[in-house]
Amino acid sequence: MTERDFTTSVDRLLGHVRHWGQPRWRRSRADLVYGLVQRLADLGADAEHRDRRPVPRVGDLVLPDQVRVMADDLLAADPPDDLLRQATDEVNAVRHSL
């Protein structure tokens, strides 16, 4: 997997959910995307060799922005191929589950 593959996967996910209003974010969907936010943050921490920390749950309508920030942070950490592959797989799995 490449950075481009990861970015494409993130863009596809965000294209799918960015326009959702509150009713569309049924609790299970919001929980699924929030879980992705946390996993991306954890992978970013792993890439930077720092402790993992919980990501605040701000609100459902902010989740697409949180995905974008965590994805950008992960790429900025210059993750090894295995972490980038895992992140891409995580994003694709969430998109397919929605």
Side-chain angles (χ1 to χ4, degrees):
M1 297 278 168
T2 66
E3 286 186 18
R4 183 177 174 93
D5 294 326
F6 175 68
T7 301
T8 298
S9 293
V10 170
D11 289 343
R12 286 180 179 158
L13 172 66
L14 294 177
H16 185 74
V17 302
R18 187 171 295 281
H19 65 279
W20 287 3
Q22 188 62 48
R24 194 93 189 257
W25 283 106
R26 290 189 334 257
R27 181 54 51 197
S28 60
R29 287 180 174 172
D31 290 345
L32 191 63
V33 175
Y34 173 74
L36 175 64
V37 168
Q38 185 62 60
R39 287 189 300 280
L40 292 176
D42 291 345
L43 291 171
D46 293 349
E48 294 177 341
H49 306 288
R50 61 178 170 77
D51 292 337
R52 292 178 172 191
R53 295 180 297 171
V55 176
R57 179 92 182 240
V58 180
D60 297 346
L61 297 178
V62 180
L63 286 168
D65 294 327
Q66 286 185 300
V67 169
R68 173 60 68 200
V69 169
M70 293 302 120
D72 289 349
D73 286 351
L74 177 60
L75 289 175
D78 193 26
D81 290 343
D82 62 322
L83 286 182
L84 193 57
R85 182 176 299 108
Q86 184 178 351
T88 304
D89 291 345
E90 295 272 358
V91 172
N92 289 335
V94 168
R95 184 170 55 87
H96 290 118
S97 294
L98 295 173

